[in-house]
Amino acid sequence: MRPVISIVGRPNVGKSTLYNRLTRSRDALVDDRPGVTRDRMVGLGRVGGTPYWVIDTGGLESEGGSLQQMLRRQVDVAVQGSDAVLFMLDGRSGPSPDDIEIAGYLRRCGVPVFPVVNKTEGLAPELGTAEFHALGLSNPPTAVSARQGAGINMLMEHILDTVSATGAAAEVDRSAPHVGVVGRPNVGKSTLVNRLLGEERVLVCDEPGTTRDSIRIPFRHAGRDYVLVDTAGVRRRSRIQDKLEQFSVARTLQTIEQVDVVVFVLDAQAGVSDQDARLAGLVRDGGRSMVLVVNKWDGLTNEQRQRVRRELDRKLPFLDDVDRLFVSAKFGSGLGHLVPALARAYSSAMADLGTGRLNAVLQQAVAAQPPPLAGRRRSKLKYAHQGGKNPPQVVIHGNLLDKIPESYRRYLSRRVARAFGLTGAPVRIVFKSGENPYARKASRGTGKRGK
């Protein structure tokens, strides 16, 4: 289960810049004006030894309102459900009164806090962090440059080692496939779970956000055991108001890591929102197999149904390999296809990809579309083998593989998935370049000439 790491601090200290660097994205708006970030951003952290969830928060300041009130509304919300907190500080200006007050709060929060002194370009680390030791936090301050990336890798390696050592994830019984039901609030997740179970096991209410934590429910279908996980709804970041709901969002993100298959539920009557697309992207980035369920299909006209189908193609093109089911959880229509779709997605996630056939598929894919040139040379893909399951992982060996663009990696992933009939399971392609046999000879030759 990936840890959740929150970034907090006063305005204009570089929180959004750090968020973008950690997620290798440009999701968070970066501006020299303080207070630009208003909503919380959630993304997958990719800098460090293992992936993790990153939450970016708005800046905290005392002007225009009580800092204590802002602490309750922003910092406390971000801290709940987090495994660690990055406390961003400005190394150019030194500790401010707001920094001191925030530090006092963080000392009492019960979560590991790592002071990160940003904007230390050109400064010796010990000079850049000297004043911030006075904040009295349990971990010493670390000098970084979020803009240039200096010190970030080492910082995240240390934090991830600390989090994994002090907060190991709970063991999950894997004897039966775990199925997570995920989606925005009020799309009908709990109704869907109750319909599958044939009884009212989960509270259903018209008020969005009724389900606050993940609920695990075993059930059996056609002689096979499953475990349903009904998660709290993930709503738009700007509407996450209280710390309990933010905690639920963190739980949902971690639940995605624990399950084998995700049933992603959309509300047909509300259409496909940007938040739907973002959450679906997080599920896919997490490597989960998926079944797409478009709920509340009853009552829509043919024109409305065609509009929804076009929105799915336009806003969720990366789910073109996923089974789509159009259902009414309330009335039960269309649900007869759900469990078979779950079984297909799970079987795809756990598929054995034979080495011989895998290499044949690789040769056919390269023959149909060779990798693009890297300068005057072309990458050479020699052979492939399976490197893991859930999600299926294919390791490809060859030369100049670091020059292959991401678009070609996606092309190979789709070719493998189609060749093996995989449904809803993203195939991860891992490149491993072989050693250049001429590099050592060239090195020896250079040494001789230098004597």
Side-chain angles (χ1 to χ4, degrees):
M1 188 166 63
R2 293 171 180 167
V4 176
I5 298 175
S6 292
I7 306 174
V8 303
R10 58 186 175 86
N12 210 28
V13 294
K15 296 185 301 300
S16 295
T17 303
L18 178 62
Y19 173 89
N20 286 344
R21 183 166 291 279
L22 293 180
T23 58
R24 293 177 181 169
S25 70
R26 295 183 179 180
D27 290 345
L29 179 63
V30 177
D31 196 291
D32 290 334
R33 294 170 298 172
V36 170
T37 302
R38 298 296 183 188
D39 301 336
R40 293 170 192 84
M41 300 288 296
V42 180
L44 187 62
R46 303 173 187 275
V47 176
T50 57
Y52 47 93
W53 299 111
V54 185
I55 300 178
D56 182 25
T57 64
L60 304 173
E61 58 183 335
S62 55
E63 293 182 7
S66 167
L67 178 61
Q68 289 299 328
Q69 181 180 6
M70 291 296 293
L71 287 171
R72 288 192 297 271
R73 293 176 55 192
Q74 296 277 352
V75 179
D76 197 40
V77 165
V79 166
Q80 294 296 324
S82 294
D83 297 287
V85 173
L86 300 182
F87 179 21
M88 291 290 287
L89 300 154
D90 190 332
R92 299 287 176 179
S93 62
S96 72
D98 286 351
D99 290 330
I100 295 172
E101 195 160 0
I102 295 171
Y105 171 81
L106 292 176
R107 284 196 298 269
R108 302 186 296 271
C109 73
V111 175
V113 178
F114 297 86
V116 181
V117 183
N118 192 27
K119 306 180 185 179
T120 58
E121 302 92 335
L123 298 177
E126 59 274 11
L127 294 178
T129 61
E131 296 180 274
F132 296 94
H133 287 274
L135 295 176
L137 295 167
S138 57
N139 291 294
T142 302
V144 304
S145 170
R147 185 180 298 274
Q148 297 181 1
I152 301 298
N153 283 24
M154 186 176 298
L155 170 70
M156 296 312 301
E157 292 284 358
H158 171 63
I159 291 174
L160 292 170
D161 286 345
T162 303
V163 169
S164 62
T166 59
E171 292 293 327
V172 178
D173 180 12
R174 309 313 308 187
S175 59
H178 280 55
V179 179
V181 184
V182 173
R184 291 188 296 116
N186 216 29
V187 296
K189 299 186 299 299
S190 296
T191 303
L192 178 66
V193 169
N194 287 336
R195 179 65 66 172
L196 278 175
L197 298 173
E199 56 180 316
E200 297 292 324
R201 290 285 297 275
V202 180
L203 177 65
V204 178
C205 180
D206 289 335
E207 177 65 25
T210 301
T211 304
R212 290 296 193 178
D213 211 344
S214 299
I215 304 169
R216 284 172 169 75
I217 308 169
F219 83 106
R220 190 172 182 84
H221 184 275
R224 186 170 191 174
D225 291 322
Y226 296 88
V227 176
L228 276 177
V229 184
D230 182 26
T231 63
V234 180
R235 68 174 72 188
R236 285 172 53 105
R237 294 182 302 277
S238 58
R239 297 185 61 189
I240 299 176
Q241 298 297 328
D242 60 86
K243 66 181 182 181
L244 185 59
E245 187 171 348
Q246 178 69 26
F247 179 77
S248 297
V249 172
R251 286 295 190 204
T252 297
L253 295 175
Q254 291 183 323
T255 295
I256 291 172
E257 302 303 319
Q258 292 182 303
V259 301
D260 302 299
V261 182
V262 168
V263 176
F264 191 81
V265 186
L266 297 173
D267 183 342
Q269 297 178 5
V272 184
S273 70
D274 291 340
Q275 179 68 357
D276 289 324
R278 181 171 178 79
L279 181 57
L282 291 175
V283 174
R284 179 48 63 99
D285 287 345
R288 297 306 93 191
S289 291
M290 191 187 306
V291 175
L292 182 61
V293 172
V294 184
N295 192 27
K296 306 182 185 180
W297 197 241
D298 52 294
L300 295 185
T301 64
N302 287 334
E303 182 180 352
Q304 290 171 324
R305 292 181 175 184
Q306 289 302 317
R307 175 182 55 78
V308 173
R309 292 180 190 274
R310 288 193 299 269
E311 282 190 347
L312 291 173
D313 293 335
R314 180 169 57 88
K315 294 188 176 182
L316 303 176
F318 51 91
L319 299 184
D320 58 349
D321 62 327
V322 173
D323 276 337
R324 296 180 182 179
L325 304 181
F326 301 90
V327 310
S328 169
K330 183 177 181 179
F331 299 107
S333 60
L335 289 181
H337 301 288
L338 179 54
V339 176
L342 293 177
R344 285 193 297 274
Y346 180 70
S347 296
S348 296
M350 306 301 292
D352 289 313
L353 310 179
T355 302
R357 187 179 175 197
L358 194 56
N359 280 279
V361 172
L362 176 62
Q363 293 172 8
Q364 293 167 4
V366 172
Q369 183 176 326
L373 287 171
R376 295 183 177 181
R377 304 176 63 187
R378 193 182 301 276
S379 303
K380 186 174 182 180
L381 285 65
K382 295 181 177 179
Y383 64 94
H385 62 87
Q386 185 168 5
K389 299 179 181 180
N390 199 15
Q393 185 180 92
V394 175
V395 181
I396 299 177
H397 298 260
N399 295 331
L400 295 177
L401 300 186
D402 58 327
K403 305 298 183 182
I404 294 181
E406 189 62 29
S407 58
Y408 196 78
R409 188 192 300 265
R410 292 194 295 268
Y411 162 73
L412 293 175
S413 176
R414 290 193 298 270
R415 290 287 299 228
V416 172
R418 285 199 297 266
F420 285 89
L422 305 183
T423 303
V427 177
R428 286 185 170 170
I429 303 295
V430 177
F431 293 127
K432 286 194 175 181
S433 293
E435 182 182 359
N436 183 351
Y438 299 100
R440 192 171 300 172
K441 295 180 181 179
S443 176
R444 288 200 297 265
T446 302
K448 291 179 180 179
R449 286 192 296 270
K451 292 182 179 179

